[in-house]
Amino acid sequence: MVLLLSLGGVFEFYDLFFTAYVAPGMVGAGLFKPESLGFFSALGPIKVAGFGTFVFATFAGLWVGALFAGQLADIMGRRVIFTWSMIWYMVCTAVMAFQTTGFDLNLWRFIAGVGLGVELVTIDSYISELIPSPERGRAYAVNQCITFSIVPVIAFLAYAMKDTQPFGIAYWRVIILIGSVGAIAVWFMRRRIPESPRWLVAHGRIEEAERIVADIERRVEEEKGIKLAPPDMSAAQSEKAERGSLGEVLRAPYLKRTVILSIFNMAQVIGFYGFAAWVPTLLISRGVTVTHSLAYAFIIAIANPFGPLLGVFFADKFERKTQIVGGLLVMAIVIVLFSQASASGWLIVLGVLFTLASNIMSYSYHGYQAEVYPTRIRARAVGFVYSWSRLAAAFAGLLIGILLHHYGVPGVAAFIGVSMLVGIVMILLGPATRGRSLESINH
C-alpha cells in the first residue's frame, strides 16, 4: 500500500521538481520578459524576479489546494481525492506545456498547483492512518525515498535534452509532458489501495472498515506465517464516528500545535525549495556555465532519494523532532559554506550534503504533522499548517530572485540560514510522537 501511494507521489514530485530544471529553457525562450508577463510586468520587483514568477504561481496554487481543497479528503475520503487530484494536475500540466506567454504559463501552473496541493495533503494523511505506530517513521522514509527518486531522472532529462527539440518541441516542454503521461499509469494502480479504515470509522461506516482491516490482517498473517496478537481495544474505542471542522484546528487543545507547525512550515520551505527550485541558477551565480550548471545539478539531484533511504534504518529509532532539528541545523550550516565556495567539487559536495539533510528533515516532518491531529480533522489540519509553507514558498521564490539579483548567493544563504533557525525553535516546542499510538498523541 505504501508502494502504491508512493508511485502516485512520484509523478506529483516530478511535477513539483521539474521547476528548477526547466528554468534555463523557459528563460532562454524569453517567457519571463516583461512583455510576456502581461500585467504582472507593471510590478517593479516582478521584472527583477523573472523566473521567480513561475515559482510564485506554483506555490500559490499549492497554497490554495492545501488550505481550501485539502479539506475534501476529510469529507469525501482519502482514496477518491488521491485519485482525482492526480487527474486534475496531470491534465492542467499538459495544457501548461503548450502555452506561449509567461502570463499563460503562470496561470496554468497556478491551476495545476491546486491539484498538487490536495495530493500532498491526502498522501500524508493516508500513510499515517494505514501504518501502525512502530513502523510509521519507516513508512514515510520509504515513501519519500521512492518519490524523491524521480528528481535525478528529471535532472538527467534536462541535462541530456538541453537545446534539443524532440518531435519539433522545445526540450523543456517535453520534460513537462513526460510527467503527465506517466501519471496515467497510476490511475489503474489506485484500485488496489483501500480507503482508510480510520476515515470510514469516523464516518460511521464500521462494516466497510472491518472488512478492509480483516483483509490486511489476513494478508500479513499469510506473508509472515504468524498469528497476529489481539487488537488493543482501548485504543480502538477512542476512534468513533465524529465529524470535524476547520475551526477545531484553531481551538484548544490543537491551537498550540497549529501555530507551531504553521510557523515551522513557513520557515522550512524557504530552505527546502529555496535551494531545490533554484540550484541550477545558484550554480550559475557562483560562476558555473549554464551547461555545466545542469550537469552539476544532476549530480546533486542524485542525492535526493538517499536521504530518506538512510532514514529507513533509523526513522523509528529516534524522536521525529530530533531528526527534523538535525536536518535543519545541517541545512543552515551548509548553505552558508555553499555561498562562499567557488570550486566545482566543493559546490557539488555541499549541494549533496544540503540535499541529504533537507530530505531527512522532509520525511520526518511529513510524518510528524500528520501524527499530531485526530482522524476527523487530520487532512484539514495538515492542509492548513502545510498551506503556510506553500504561501511562504510563493513569496520566497520572488524574494530569492530579488536577493540573488542584488546580493548574490550570500544574500540568499543568509535568508535561508535564518529561516532554518526559526524552524528549529518552533519544532522544539511541539509534542513527542515516536512509538506512540495516534490516539495517545491526539489526546
Side-chain angles (χ1 to χ4, degrees):
M1 291 184 292
V2 172
L3 174 62
L4 292 174
L5 285 170
S6 301
L7 289 174
V10 159
F11 296 103
E12 167 217 337
F13 269 56
Y14 184 101
D15 206 284
L16 198 57
F17 277 89
F18 69 56
T19 302
Y21 303 99
V22 298
M26 289 180 170
V27 173
L31 289 171
F32 299 106
K33 292 180 178 178
E35 59 268 25
S36 184
L37 287 171
F39 72 86
F40 286 123
S41 62
L43 302 172
I46 295 292
K47 294 179 183 178
V48 176
F51 177 69
T53 60
F54 187 76
V55 179
F56 176 85
T58 300
F59 287 102
L62 286 165
W63 175 67
V64 171
L67 181 58
F68 299 104
Q71 301 182 56
L72 295 174
D74 278 341
I75 299 169
M76 302 175 66
R78 316 310 192 206
R79 188 172 184 265
V80 65
I81 299 303
F82 169 75
T83 301
W84 284 103
S85 61
M86 182 170 56
I87 298 301
W88 173 280
Y89 75 72
M90 180 183 71
V91 171
C92 293
T93 298
V95 173
M96 181 194 75
F98 293 102
Q99 302 309 306
T100 56
T101 69
F103 176 81
D104 290 335
L105 198 72
N106 289 343
L107 175 64
W108 280 100
R109 185 56 167 167
F110 170 81
I111 297 171
V114 174
L116 280 171
V118 180
E119 185 83 343
L120 277 163
V121 169
T122 305
I123 290 176
D124 283 356
S125 300
Y126 226 147
I127 292 176
S128 70
E129 293 169 3
L130 285 172
I131 307 301
S133 57
E135 300 287 335
R136 272 201 306 270
R138 198 158 66 100
Y140 279 99
V142 169
N143 166 251
Q144 294 218 339
C145 178
I146 294 170
T147 53
F148 276 118
S149 66
I150 200 64
V151 181
V153 174
I154 307 167
F156 175 76
L157 289 173
Y159 171 66
M161 296 171 64
K162 186 183 182 300
D163 297 328
T164 65
Q165 289 193 322
F167 313 107
I169 304 173
Y171 83 96
W172 60 269
R173 297 184 189 273
V174 175
I175 289 172
I176 291 172
L177 287 169
I178 288 172
S180 295
V181 173
I184 295 173
V186 182
W187 169 264
F188 298 98
M189 291 188 291
R190 95 224 185 276
R191 292 174 295 182
R192 297 185 59 188
I193 305 174
E195 181 55 88
S196 162
R198 288 177 181 271
W199 181 85
L200 291 170
V201 169
H203 286 74
R205 295 159 63 176
I206 309 299
E207 292 183 5
E208 193 175 345
E210 173 59 34
R211 284 197 301 272
I212 292 171
V213 173
D215 180 61
I216 292 172
E217 291 173 338
R218 177 187 58 78
R219 288 157 59 188
V220 170
E221 289 182 338
E222 288 179 358
E223 180 182 317
K224 299 293 184 183
I226 59 172
K227 184 69 177 174
L228 292 175
D232 180 356
M233 296 308 295
S234 62
Q237 289 168 359
S238 67
E239 282 285 5
K240 52 185 181 292
E242 291 180 300
R243 299 298 172 94
S245 68
L246 186 59
E248 189 177 355
V249 178
L250 301 172
R251 296 194 301 267
Y254 302 113
L255 177 60
K256 179 183 175 182
R257 298 179 183 189
T258 300
V259 171
I260 288 169
L261 287 171
S262 295
I263 297 173
F264 162 77
N265 269 286
M266 285 189 284
Q268 64 82 18
V269 79
I270 290 170
F272 190 93
Y273 285 114
F275 186 81
W278 286 86
V279 61
T281 309
L282 292 173
L283 287 166
I284 291 169
S285 297
R286 295 306 300 155
V288 178
T289 65
V290 173
T291 300
H292 282 112
S293 77
L294 287 172
Y296 296 167
F298 165 58
I299 297 171
I300 292 170
I302 292 173
N304 272 280
F306 287 96
L309 181 61
L310 291 171
V312 170
F313 299 100
F314 59 74
D316 290 303
K317 294 180 180 178
F318 300 101
E319 176 58 48
R320 312 267 194 263
K321 291 166 53 174
T322 303
Q323 297 175 65
I324 297 169
V325 168
L328 290 171
L329 186 59
V330 172
M331 291 164 69
I333 295 170
V334 170
I335 195 63
V336 172
L337 297 175
F338 183 91
S339 71
Q340 301 301 313
S342 56
S344 58
W346 277 113
L347 287 169
I348 291 172
V349 169
L350 292 169
V352 167
L353 285 175
F354 189 95
T355 302
L356 289 172
S358 65
N359 289 351
I360 288 173
M361 183 275 297
S362 177
Y363 81 73
S364 301
Y365 92 78
H366 274 277
Y368 183 75
Q369 65 188 16
E371 289 177 314
V372 298
Y373 294 99
T375 301
R376 63 183 177 275
I377 58 169
R378 181 165 290 116
R380 289 179 174 91
V382 171
F384 182 85
V385 300
Y386 199 40
S387 72
W388 296 107
S389 73
R390 313 295 88 179
L391 190 63
F395 288 99
L398 294 177
L399 186 54
I400 285 174
I402 295 167
L403 288 171
L404 195 59
H405 179 78
H406 290 293
Y407 304 104
V409 179
V412 174
F415 180 46
I416 291 176
V418 171
S419 300
M420 298 305 91
L421 295 178
V422 171
I424 289 172
V425 172
M426 287 300 104
I427 212 68
L428 288 173
L429 299 174
T433 63
R434 186 178 74 90
R436 298 172 62 189
S437 70
L438 292 180
E439 292 76 21
S440 169
I441 300 167
N442 300 159
H443 293 89

